[in-house]
Amino acid sequence: MAAAHENPDQLVTSSDPEHPANLIPSLCAKFWTLGWVTGTGGGCSIRDDNLVYIAPSGVQKELMKPADIYVLSLKDQEPSLKQRTYLRSPPLYKPSQCTPLFLAAFTRRGAGCCIHTHSHWAVLVTLLLEAKGSSVFEINNIEQIKGFGKGMGKVGNLGYHDTLRIPVIENTPHEEDLTEYLEAAMEEYPDTYAVLVRRHGVYVWGDNVHKAKTQCESLDYLFQLAVEMHQLGLPWISSIAQIGPQR
Amino acid sequence: MAAAHENPDQLVTSSDPEHPANLIPSLCAKFWTLGWVTGTGGGCSIRDDNLVYIAPSGVQKELMKPADIYVLSLKDQEPSLKQRTYLRSPPLYKPSQCTPLFLAAFTRRGAGCCIHTHSHWAVLVTLLLEAKGSSVFEINNIEQIKGFGKGMGKVGNLGYHDTLRIPVIENTPHEEDLTEYLEAAMEEYPDTYAVLVRRHGVYVWGDNVHKAKTQCESLDYLFQLAVEMHQLGLPWISSIAQIGPQR
Amino acid sequence: MAAAHENPDQLVTSSDPEHPANLIPSLCAKFWTLGWVTGTGGGCSIRDDNLVYIAPSGVQKELMKPADIYVLSLKDQEPSLKQRTYLRSPPLYKPSQCTPLFLAAFTRRGAGCCIHTHSHWAVLVTLLLEAKGSSVFEINNIEQIKGFGKGMGKVGNLGYHDTLRIPVIENTPHEEDLTEYLEAAMEEYPDTYAVLVRRHGVYVWGDNVHKAKTQCESLDYLFQLAVEMHQLGLPWISSIAQIGPQR
Amino acid sequence: MAAAHENPDQLVTSSDPEHPANLIPSLCAKFWTLGWVTGTGGGCSIRDDNLVYIAPSGVQKELMKPADIYVLSLKDQEPSLKQRTYLRSPPLYKPSQCTPLFLAAFTRRGAGCCIHTHSHWAVLVTLLLEAKGSSVFEINNIEQIKGFGKGMGKVGNLGYHDTLRIPVIENTPHEEDLTEYLEAAMEEYPDTYAVLVRRHGVYVWGDNVHKAKTQCESLDYLFQLAVEMHQLGLPWISSIAQIGPQR
């Protein structure tokens, strides 16, 4: 790390495609094709031990380069998250307003990666829930639910008959002000790997890049399915008798 | 095969893009763009004579590599499919829970390839059928129906006026427990090349990779059309007088 | 041509990306991504003077190669289109059942290219028209209508306030039997560049590849818009007073 | 510029991917995949100081090349925009009918880039507004609204609770006749960065390519969301109490 401090650009320079500074741009380019990070919205952050790599604010996500990435150390941060010290800042950008939300996933949930999308499926789900006065998305008896872990520190994934619950927090004018509400939702739903933000999008995390990305994909699939089920008059929660052997 | 046993990695090493170990990753990458294998869901298996190549469990399907592929021999398998011996196992993965279902297509229908998708069109069709208490998808008088063979051992494809019937089995908490229901559906619908799984997805097979893939595409097209027809109040089964010459 | 007859493969061998044998595969790969030629459905043919290049039957359209292309000469054809002589036939395929329909566009409308899609937007439009007993798609007052020529031998394109009319013919069990109905629709609607086929798809042609392809795109756009307008309760035909200068 | 006049092709020849003559084709290829410039519809223009680069009329947008680009100087133009002098004209094309509309964005709003799409989401929004007799699209309380600047010469972007207003002008048979109505809408809505054209599409501009492109993406996202909200019976304008700290 000493060398990195001497030349911060080394923190984002690697020939390994799995290096966070290379992974974030390639992931964001993929997310752009999925409509998750349209118009510079959304973002992605990866934690490698104490180092955190973050996409900057206001960048076209499909065009991002490793040189655009911010790097900070979790060790250097003040208890108040408002003041942040960066090991490496790209010259042309501003830090992402999502930064304290990503840090919450890393410090409070031990996540290795956190993805924020503006997927319109996520937004529509929050609008449908708002119309019935609800602040939690619930769905069960769909195979894709098995794409989610049972919760931090628990072994294995949810089962087909389990109910996936994703809390919804209200949006704030300034994204960083979401942090306290996100953290409160983490406390209230300790097993969740995602928090919906009303009229805004979703934050999804995981123990590592693989889990964050595949949980984010599975969740977007379920949000799309839920909207389509609603349009077809089909309920999200059903009561189905289990078949097959008990285990 | 002796050489292959001595070095199992040779079973998945080939410069031929048509080799199963190369085809499965390229097919799965294509399926990912179609939304069929989101979030590590779904899968694909190819049979070459007695050798069966299978994508592993829990892999990001658009990133799969030949080295990730499992290989087993149909000859080596015990009558009880629960115990399986692999000629080649990738170091980092677990075998797919879809394996006994793929094997059912190979051993009971002589299929050369079997594809499993979580396409949300397939899931929506099973939900619409559930709402009316049905366990079979039926559609007729749509040109794309001609993309399906008449059935194992029969010559030629379905006609425009024929009714395509795809049975639906109920989902089980553990995917491998679907096997007996899939096999029962194969018995009840001996001509089918696909089985829908309620709230889960679809299994589609064919005599070879070409037929499995194009039948899977045609079926997904019909599922999408069926959902859209339902939204527009149009029935899936119609009575239309044949025009043109009889043959 | 003499040399070509001596070695028919020369008819489909060129380093020019604009050569029909290269253009058909690249166009079909693009059409596959648009969902127009799913599951080997649909096709494309280009005429260069008297030579006609045709994609074969049953090929995966996104994987087609120049060596897969059939070539025939309009001069060699018998008046009865049932008997056709090919200058060049690929070894592994069968001729497309669309061939007589493509030839109708070339011989009766002087088209240079004809595209056949199974676009589900086209199919849905024919289903919506069927439900109200109609055999012609009509839409006006949409800018994209200006993407269509006024008709064979006429100068210029349709205007914004003009009504685009696309006839619908009923589907037949055998695609080649559509030919007489397609030709009848061409007679009844002499200015049309496209014919819808009920529950099947659409044939679109143009004076050259550029016009056929862009008219096909514009038409698919209008079909999609028309289905969405129907879902939103908006009529396809409207009465709007012209603003701006008369010319 | 003297050298450029001597050889106008130098105006569109550069190895810099950020040169307008290279950017317009790469942007238009991307827009084609988004369905914004289907069937030669839509277009894009970039201003670099007094030089204006414009995509030609009637070109397939995903196939455009730098050599297809028109170049004109704002200095050379007559007060009447009907007569235009081009520094460089490609041999095979006609100037875009969008030209005077692009010039209005450059001269009246100081824009550096203007994008015109035929996005069917934009068209559907204008149709929904027409059905209720409205000529302005309004939406609030959606995070993506923050993707828009407050207006020419104003610092910063709209807030989450602000209402985004995009005026709608009626379509004219000839696109260039839209100019006076576009300019009138700019006067009536001085802070807008976009104008919808009824049954046609949208014009979106920005201070530079980055802003025009990301505002266009954000707007298309909002149009799609608005149509889907309408289908789900959700209003575009809502009254939501602000949470989080006031600033």
PDB file of all heavy atoms in Angstrom, chain D residues 140-168:
ATOM      1  N   ASN D 140     -43.246  14.511 -11.667  1.00  0.00           N
ATOM      2  CA  ASN D 140     -42.427  14.905 -10.523  1.00  0.00           C
ATOM      3  C   ASN D 140     -42.198  13.709  -9.602  1.00  0.00           C
ATOM      4  O   ASN D 140     -42.734  12.617  -9.825  1.00  0.00           O
ATOM      5  CB  ASN D 140     -43.071  16.079  -9.758  1.00  0.00           C
ATOM      6  CG  ASN D 140     -44.353  15.672  -9.048  1.00  0.00           C
ATOM      7  OD1 ASN D 140     -44.812  14.547  -9.158  1.00  0.00           O
ATOM      8  ND2 ASN D 140     -44.943  16.616  -8.340  1.00  0.00           N
ATOM      9  N   ASN D 141     -41.353  13.900  -8.612  1.00  0.00           N
ATOM     10  CA  ASN D 141     -41.109  12.885  -7.587  1.00  0.00           C
ATOM     11  C   ASN D 141     -40.612  11.565  -8.163  1.00  0.00           C
ATOM     12  O   ASN D 141     -41.049  10.482  -7.748  1.00  0.00           O
ATOM     13  CB  ASN D 141     -42.375  12.673  -6.744  1.00  0.00           C
ATOM     14  CG  ASN D 141     -42.726  13.905  -5.928  1.00  0.00           C
ATOM     15  OD1 ASN D 141     -41.849  14.534  -5.354  1.00  0.00           O
ATOM     16  ND2 ASN D 141     -44.002  14.264  -5.908  1.00  0.00           N
ATOM     17  N   ILE D 142     -39.735  11.657  -9.144  1.00  0.00           N
ATOM     18  CA  ILE D 142     -39.030  10.487  -9.692  1.00  0.00           C
ATOM     19  C   ILE D 142     -37.545  10.856  -9.716  1.00  0.00           C
ATOM     20  O   ILE D 142     -37.176  11.930 -10.191  1.00  0.00           O
ATOM     21  CB  ILE D 142     -39.520  10.137 -11.122  1.00  0.00           C
ATOM     22  CG1 ILE D 142     -41.015   9.800 -11.140  1.00  0.00           C
ATOM     23  CG2 ILE D 142     -38.686   8.999 -11.714  1.00  0.00           C
ATOM     24  CD1 ILE D 142     -41.400   8.515 -10.456  1.00  0.00           C
ATOM     25  N   GLU D 143     -36.705   9.950  -9.192  1.00  0.00           N
ATOM     26  CA  GLU D 143     -35.286  10.281  -9.038  1.00  0.00           C
ATOM     27  C   GLU D 143     -34.639  10.718 -10.347  1.00  0.00           C
ATOM     28  O   GLU D 143     -33.798  11.628 -10.368  1.00  0.00           O
ATOM     29  CB  GLU D 143     -34.531   9.060  -8.479  1.00  0.00           C
ATOM     30  CG  GLU D 143     -33.033   9.262  -8.303  1.00  0.00           C
ATOM     31  CD  GLU D 143     -32.680  10.205  -7.160  1.00  0.00           C
ATOM     32  OE1 GLU D 143     -33.581  10.588  -6.393  1.00  0.00           O
ATOM     33  OE2 GLU D 143     -31.495  10.561  -7.034  1.00  0.00           O
ATOM     34  N   GLN D 144     -35.019  10.065 -11.453  1.00  0.00           N
ATOM     35  CA  GLN D 144     -34.328  10.328 -12.729  1.00  0.00           C
ATOM     36  C   GLN D 144     -34.512  11.768 -13.211  1.00  0.00           C
ATOM     37  O   GLN D 144     -33.751  12.234 -14.070  1.00  0.00           O
ATOM     38  CB  GLN D 144     -34.813   9.334 -13.791  1.00  0.00           C
ATOM     39  CG  GLN D 144     -33.906   9.202 -15.005  1.00  0.00           C
ATOM     40  CD  GLN D 144     -32.666   8.364 -14.745  1.00  0.00           C
ATOM     41  OE1 GLN D 144     -32.693   7.452 -13.932  1.00  0.00           O
ATOM     42  NE2 GLN D 144     -31.583   8.681 -15.433  1.00  0.00           N
ATOM     43  N   ILE D 145     -35.500  12.481 -12.642  1.00  0.00           N
ATOM     44  CA  ILE D 145     -35.677  13.903 -12.981  1.00  0.00           C
ATOM     45  C   ILE D 145     -34.398  14.685 -12.689  1.00  0.00           C
ATOM     46  O   ILE D 145     -34.107  15.694 -13.354  1.00  0.00           O
ATOM     47  CB  ILE D 145     -36.886  14.470 -12.205  1.00  0.00           C
ATOM     48  CG1 ILE D 145     -38.184  13.877 -12.749  1.00  0.00           C
ATOM     49  CG2 ILE D 145     -36.923  15.989 -12.252  1.00  0.00           C
ATOM     50  CD1 ILE D 145     -39.402  14.146 -11.888  1.00  0.00           C
ATOM     51  N   LYS D 146     -33.627  14.209 -11.715  1.00  0.00           N
ATOM     52  CA  LYS D 146     -32.384  14.901 -11.364  1.00  0.00           C
ATOM     53  C   LYS D 146     -31.343  14.834 -12.494  1.00  0.00           C
ATOM     54  O   LYS D 146     -30.289  15.465 -12.392  1.00  0.00           O
ATOM     55  CB  LYS D 146     -31.812  14.317 -10.077  1.00  0.00           C
ATOM     56  CG  LYS D 146     -32.670  14.642  -8.861  1.00  0.00           C
ATOM     57  CD  LYS D 146     -32.419  13.735  -7.680  1.00  0.00           C
ATOM     58  CE  LYS D 146     -31.104  13.990  -7.005  1.00  0.00           C
ATOM     59  NZ  LYS D 146     -30.976  13.162  -5.770  1.00  0.00           N
ATOM     60  N   GLY D 147     -31.643  14.107 -13.547  1.00  0.00           N
ATOM     61  CA  GLY D 147     -30.743  14.055 -14.700  1.00  0.00           C
ATOM     62  C   GLY D 147     -30.822  15.279 -15.597  1.00  0.00           C
ATOM     63  O   GLY D 147     -30.094  15.352 -16.594  1.00  0.00           O
ATOM     64  N   PHE D 148     -31.674  16.257 -15.251  1.00  0.00           N
ATOM     65  CA  PHE D 148     -31.858  17.426 -16.117  1.00  0.00           C
ATOM     66  C   PHE D 148     -31.340  18.690 -15.450  1.00  0.00           C
ATOM     67  O   PHE D 148     -31.573  18.917 -14.262  1.00  0.00           O
ATOM     68  CB  PHE D 148     -33.346  17.645 -16.430  1.00  0.00           C
ATOM     69  CG  PHE D 148     -33.903  16.548 -17.256  1.00  0.00           C
ATOM     70  CD1 PHE D 148     -34.391  15.415 -16.654  1.00  0.00           C
ATOM     71  CD2 PHE D 148     -33.869  16.624 -18.635  1.00  0.00           C
ATOM     72  CE1 PHE D 148     -34.861  14.369 -17.405  1.00  0.00           C
ATOM     73  CE2 PHE D 148     -34.334  15.585 -19.393  1.00  0.00           C
ATOM     74  CZ  PHE D 148     -34.825  14.444 -18.777  1.00  0.00           C
ATOM     75  N   GLY D 149     -30.710  19.529 -16.253  1.00  0.00           N
ATOM     76  CA  GLY D 149     -30.297  20.839 -15.769  1.00  0.00           C
ATOM     77  C   GLY D 149     -31.505  21.722 -15.498  1.00  0.00           C
ATOM     78  O   GLY D 149     -32.594  21.505 -16.046  1.00  0.00           O
ATOM     79  N   LYS D 150     -31.294  22.744 -14.656  1.00  0.00           N
ATOM     80  CA  LYS D 150     -32.399  23.641 -14.307  1.00  0.00           C
ATOM     81  C   LYS D 150     -32.786  24.542 -15.468  1.00  0.00           C
ATOM     82  O   LYS D 150     -33.888  25.098 -15.483  1.00  0.00           O
ATOM     83  CB  LYS D 150     -31.991  24.519 -13.112  1.00  0.00           C
ATOM     84  CG  LYS D 150     -32.011  23.801 -11.780  1.00  0.00           C
ATOM     85  CD  LYS D 150     -31.689  24.758 -10.636  1.00  0.00           C
ATOM     86  CE  LYS D 150     -31.705  24.028  -9.304  1.00  0.00           C
ATOM     87  NZ  LYS D 150     -31.107  24.845  -8.235  1.00  0.00           N
ATOM     88  N   GLY D 151     -31.877  24.720 -16.400  1.00  0.00           N
ATOM     89  CA  GLY D 151     -32.177  25.573 -17.539  1.00  0.00           C
ATOM     90  C   GLY D 151     -30.937  26.320 -17.984  1.00  0.00           C
ATOM     91  O   GLY D 151     -29.963  26.439 -17.238  1.00  0.00           O
ATOM     92  N   MET D 152     -30.992  26.847 -19.205  1.00  0.00           N
ATOM     93  CA  MET D 152     -29.835  27.531 -19.782  1.00  0.00           C
ATOM     94  C   MET D 152     -29.377  28.676 -18.881  1.00  0.00           C
ATOM     95  O   MET D 152     -30.180  29.519 -18.486  1.00  0.00           O
ATOM     96  CB  MET D 152     -30.192  28.068 -21.164  1.00  0.00           C
ATOM     97  CG  MET D 152     -29.019  28.714 -21.875  1.00  0.00           C
ATOM     98  SD  MET D 152     -29.464  29.290 -23.548  1.00  0.00           S
ATOM     99  CE  MET D 152     -30.682  30.541 -23.131  1.00  0.00           C
ATOM    100  N   GLY D 153     -28.097  28.669 -18.542  1.00  0.00           N
ATOM    101  CA  GLY D 153     -27.548  29.739 -17.722  1.00  0.00           C
ATOM    102  C   GLY D 153     -27.785  29.581 -16.236  1.00  0.00           C
ATOM    103  O   GLY D 153     -27.317  30.397 -15.446  1.00  0.00           O
ATOM    104  N   LYS D 154     -28.513  28.538 -15.843  1.00  0.00           N
ATOM    105  CA  LYS D 154     -28.745  28.290 -14.421  1.00  0.00           C
ATOM    106  C   LYS D 154     -27.799  27.208 -13.929  1.00  0.00           C
ATOM    107  O   LYS D 154     -27.405  26.318 -14.688  1.00  0.00           O
ATOM    108  CB  LYS D 154     -30.198  27.874 -14.177  1.00  0.00           C
ATOM    109  CG  LYS D 154     -31.197  28.963 -14.566  1.00  0.00           C
ATOM    110  CD  LYS D 154     -32.618  28.587 -14.204  1.00  0.00           C
ATOM    111  CE  LYS D 154     -33.572  29.717 -14.587  1.00  0.00           C
ATOM    112  NZ  LYS D 154     -34.991  29.365 -14.314  1.00  0.00           N
ATOM    113  N   VAL D 155     -27.434  27.299 -12.658  1.00  0.00           N
ATOM    114  CA  VAL D 155     -26.473  26.355 -12.096  1.00  0.00           C
ATOM    115  C   VAL D 155     -27.215  25.152 -11.509  1.00  0.00           C
ATOM    116  O   VAL D 155     -28.198  25.314 -10.798  1.00  0.00           O
ATOM    117  CB  VAL D 155     -25.621  27.031 -11.005  1.00  0.00           C
ATOM    118  CG1 VAL D 155     -24.695  26.007 -10.329  1.00  0.00           C
ATOM    119  CG2 VAL D 155     -24.811  28.173 -11.612  1.00  0.00           C
ATOM    120  N   GLY D 156     -26.723  23.979 -11.803  1.00  0.00           N
ATOM    121  CA  GLY D 156     -27.243  22.787 -11.152  1.00  0.00           C
ATOM    122  C   GLY D 156     -28.409  22.155 -11.873  1.00  0.00           C
ATOM    123  O   GLY D 156     -28.858  22.627 -12.931  1.00  0.00           O
ATOM    124  N   ASN D 157     -28.887  21.073 -11.270  1.00  0.00           N
ATOM    125  CA  ASN D 157     -29.925  20.252 -11.886  1.00  0.00           C
ATOM    126  C   ASN D 157     -31.237  20.349 -11.119  1.00  0.00           C
ATOM    127  O   ASN D 157     -31.275  20.838  -9.995  1.00  0.00           O
ATOM    128  CB  ASN D 157     -29.463  18.785 -11.902  1.00  0.00           C
ATOM    129  CG  ASN D 157     -28.568  18.475 -13.081  1.00  0.00           C
ATOM    130  OD1 ASN D 157     -27.995  19.388 -13.686  1.00  0.00           O
ATOM    131  ND2 ASN D 157     -28.456  17.218 -13.428  1.00  0.00           N
ATOM    132  N   LEU D 158     -32.300  19.877 -11.752  1.00  0.00           N
ATOM    133  CA  LEU D 158     -33.588  19.792 -11.069  1.00  0.00           C
ATOM    134  C   LEU D 158     -33.471  18.892  -9.845  1.00  0.00           C
ATOM    135  O   LEU D 158     -32.610  18.004  -9.794  1.00  0.00           O
ATOM    136  CB  LEU D 158     -34.653  19.223 -12.022  1.00  0.00           C
ATOM    137  CG  LEU D 158     -35.048  20.132 -13.200  1.00  0.00           C
ATOM    138  CD1 LEU D 158     -36.080  19.406 -14.074  1.00  0.00           C
ATOM    139  CD2 LEU D 158     -35.635  21.453 -12.702  1.00  0.00           C
ATOM    140  N   GLY D 159     -34.344  19.114  -8.865  1.00  0.00           N
ATOM    141  CA  GLY D 159     -34.378  18.269  -7.689  1.00  0.00           C
ATOM    142  C   GLY D 159     -35.451  17.200  -7.812  1.00  0.00           C
ATOM    143  O   GLY D 159     -36.305  17.250  -8.720  1.00  0.00           O
ATOM    144  N   TYR D 160     -35.414  16.262  -6.878  1.00  0.00           N
ATOM    145  CA  TYR D 160     -36.355  15.140  -6.884  1.00  0.00           C
ATOM    146  C   TYR D 160     -37.801  15.612  -6.844  1.00  0.00           C
ATOM    147  O   TYR D 160     -38.670  15.065  -7.520  1.00  0.00           O
ATOM    148  CB  TYR D 160     -36.045  14.239  -5.692  1.00  0.00           C
ATOM    149  CG  TYR D 160     -37.067  13.186  -5.402  1.00  0.00           C
ATOM    150  CD1 TYR D 160     -37.348  12.184  -6.317  1.00  0.00           C
ATOM    151  CD2 TYR D 160     -37.763  13.189  -4.191  1.00  0.00           C
ATOM    152  CE1 TYR D 160     -38.287  11.202  -6.026  1.00  0.00           C
ATOM    153  CE2 TYR D 160     -38.694  12.216  -3.905  1.00  0.00           C
ATOM    154  CZ  TYR D 160     -38.967  11.226  -4.828  1.00  0.00           C
ATOM    155  OH  TYR D 160     -39.896  10.255  -4.548  1.00  0.00           O
ATOM    156  N   HIS D 161     -38.087  16.660  -6.066  1.00  0.00           N
ATOM    157  CA  HIS D 161     -39.470  17.106  -5.916  1.00  0.00           C
ATOM    158  C   HIS D 161     -39.887  18.106  -6.993  1.00  0.00           C
ATOM    159  O   HIS D 161     -41.054  18.473  -7.068  1.00  0.00           O
ATOM    160  CB  HIS D 161     -39.681  17.718  -4.526  1.00  0.00           C
ATOM    161  CG  HIS D 161     -39.590  16.718  -3.416  1.00  0.00           C
ATOM    162  ND1 HIS D 161     -40.427  15.631  -3.326  1.00  0.00           N
ATOM    163  CD2 HIS D 161     -38.753  16.627  -2.356  1.00  0.00           C
ATOM    164  CE1 HIS D 161     -40.129  14.928  -2.245  1.00  0.00           C
ATOM    165  NE2 HIS D 161     -39.106  15.499  -1.642  1.00  0.00           N
ATOM    166  N   ASP D 162     -38.923  18.569  -7.802  1.00  0.00           N
ATOM    167  CA  ASP D 162     -39.273  19.510  -8.877  1.00  0.00           C
ATOM    168  C   ASP D 162     -40.111  18.811  -9.947  1.00  0.00           C
ATOM    169  O   ASP D 162     -40.034  17.598 -10.126  1.00  0.00           O
ATOM    170  CB  ASP D 162     -37.991  20.069  -9.522  1.00  0.00           C
ATOM    171  CG  ASP D 162     -37.240  21.025  -8.601  1.00  0.00           C
ATOM    172  OD1 ASP D 162     -37.885  21.599  -7.699  1.00  0.00           O
ATOM    173  OD2 ASP D 162     -36.024  21.168  -8.772  1.00  0.00           O
ATOM    174  N   THR D 163     -40.899  19.622 -10.639  1.00  0.00           N
ATOM    175  CA  THR D 163     -41.682  19.087 -11.752  1.00  0.00           C
ATOM    176  C   THR D 163     -40.945  19.346 -13.056  1.00  0.00           C
ATOM    177  O   THR D 163     -40.623  20.495 -13.381  1.00  0.00           O
ATOM    178  CB  THR D 163     -43.077  19.750 -11.794  1.00  0.00           C
ATOM    179  OG1 THR D 163     -43.771  19.435 -10.584  1.00  0.00           O
ATOM    180  CG2 THR D 163     -43.875  19.234 -12.987  1.00  0.00           C
ATOM    181  N   LEU D 164     -40.666  18.262 -13.765  1.00  0.00           N
ATOM    182  CA  LEU D 164     -40.076  18.387 -15.101  1.00  0.00           C
ATOM    183  C   LEU D 164     -41.210  18.662 -16.085  1.00  0.00           C
ATOM    184  O   LEU D 164     -42.216  17.937 -16.095  1.00  0.00           O
ATOM    185  CB  LEU D 164     -39.359  17.085 -15.477  1.00  0.00           C
ATOM    186  CG  LEU D 164     -38.802  17.017 -16.893  1.00  0.00           C
ATOM    187  CD1 LEU D 164     -37.595  17.932 -17.058  1.00  0.00           C
ATOM    188  CD2 LEU D 164     -38.418  15.587 -17.267  1.00  0.00           C
ATOM    189  N   ARG D 165     -41.053  19.710 -16.884  1.00  0.00           N
ATOM    190  CA  ARG D 165     -42.076  20.065 -17.878  1.00  0.00           C
ATOM    191  C   ARG D 165     -41.452  20.054 -19.267  1.00  0.00           C
ATOM    192  O   ARG D 165     -40.464  20.745 -19.505  1.00  0.00           O
ATOM    193  CB  ARG D 165     -42.646  21.451 -17.600  1.00  0.00           C
ATOM    194  CG  ARG D 165     -43.539  21.516 -16.390  1.00  0.00           C
ATOM    195  CD  ARG D 165     -44.234  22.868 -16.235  1.00  0.00           C
ATOM    196  NE  ARG D 165     -45.106  22.802 -15.057  1.00  0.00           N
ATOM    197  CZ  ARG D 165     -44.680  22.975 -13.800  1.00  0.00           C
ATOM    198  NH1 ARG D 165     -43.409  23.264 -13.559  1.00  0.00           N
ATOM    199  NH2 ARG D 165     -45.538  22.861 -12.795  1.00  0.00           N
ATOM    200  N   ILE D 166     -42.026  19.263 -20.165  1.00  0.00           N
ATOM    201  CA  ILE D 166     -41.560  19.213 -21.555  1.00  0.00           C
ATOM    202  C   ILE D 166     -42.727  19.605 -22.452  1.00  0.00           C
ATOM    203  O   ILE D 166     -43.749  18.901 -22.502  1.00  0.00           O
ATOM    204  CB  ILE D 166     -41.078  17.792 -21.936  1.00  0.00           C
ATOM    205  CG1 ILE D 166     -40.054  17.266 -20.932  1.00  0.00           C
ATOM    206  CG2 ILE D 166     -40.540  17.771 -23.358  1.00  0.00           C
ATOM    207  CD1 ILE D 166     -38.724  17.948 -20.954  1.00  0.00           C
ATOM    208  N   PRO D 167     -42.600  20.720 -23.183  1.00  0.00           N
ATOM    209  CA  PRO D 167     -43.715  21.128 -24.039  1.00  0.00           C
ATOM    210  C   PRO D 167     -43.882  20.191 -25.240  1.00  0.00           C
ATOM    211  O   PRO D 167     -42.922  19.556 -25.683  1.00  0.00           O
ATOM    212  CB  PRO D 167     -43.315  22.537 -24.511  1.00  0.00           C
ATOM    213  CG  PRO D 167     -41.824  22.573 -24.392  1.00  0.00           C
ATOM    214  CD  PRO D 167     -41.468  21.674 -23.235  1.00  0.00           C
ATOM    215  N   VAL D 168     -45.109  20.141 -25.744  1.00  0.00           N
ATOM    216  CA  VAL D 168     -45.426  19.346 -26.942  1.00  0.00           C
ATOM    217  C   VAL D 168     -45.868  20.292 -28.040  1.00  0.00           C
ATOM    218  O   VAL D 168     -46.760  21.121 -27.822  1.00  0.00           O
ATOM    219  CB  VAL D 168     -46.580  18.351 -26.665  1.00  0.00           C
ATOM    220  CG1 VAL D 168     -46.806  17.446 -27.877  1.00  0.00           C
ATOM    221  CG2 VAL D 168     -46.310  17.532 -25.413  1.00  0.00           C
TER     222      VAL D 168
END
